[in-house]
């Protein structure tokens, strides 16, 4: 396992740590990861989440369908 994480994955982890125990919406994720006018694609976000789950554990990040993710680190 390569322990180096891409910048966007690190930024997502920072957001999840900040929001630990809470739900994080897709809008919050986009605001945190992108500059104005940009948006994270669904495919990219799934890859970022998969990488984070490999690091923190699969059970720590739960998908809330069409809303975002529930994070408990």
């Amino acid at each position: 396992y390569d322990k180096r994480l891409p910048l966007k994955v690190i930024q997502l982890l920072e957001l999840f740590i900040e929001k630990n125990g809470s739900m994080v919406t897709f809008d919050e994720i986009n605001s945190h990861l992108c500059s104005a006018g940009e948006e994270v694609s669904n495919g990219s976000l799934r890859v970022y989440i998969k990488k984070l789950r490999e690091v923190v554990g699969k059970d720590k990040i739960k998908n809330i369908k069409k809303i975002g993710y529930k994070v408990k680190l």
Side-chain angles (χ1 to χ4, degrees), residues 46-61:
R46 281 194 299 268
V47 170
Y48 302 157
I49 295 293
K50 181 180 178 187
K51 288 187 182 299
L52 275 184
R53 284 179 171 149
E54 290 171 0
V55 174
V56 302
K58 188 175 181 178
D59 60 325
K60 304 290 185 186
I61 303 171

Side-chain angles (χ1 to χ4, degrees), residues 1-47:
Y1 174 73
D2 185 357
K3 301 235 185 239
R4 293 174 292 169
L5 295 173
L7 178 60
K8 295 281 189 196
V9 175
I10 293 168
Q11 291 172 327
L12 185 58
L13 178 59
E14 290 171 347
L15 177 63
F16 283 178
I17 290 170
E18 182 182 311
K19 297 284 196 169
N20 190 23
S22 302
M23 192 183 69
V24 182
T25 67
F26 292 124
D27 286 342
E28 288 175 297
I29 292 169
N30 276 319
S31 293
H32 193 78
L33 296 184
C34 299
S35 46
E38 293 182 321
E39 192 171 299
V40 177
S41 73
N42 289 337
S44 293
L45 183 55
R46 281 194 299 268
V47 170

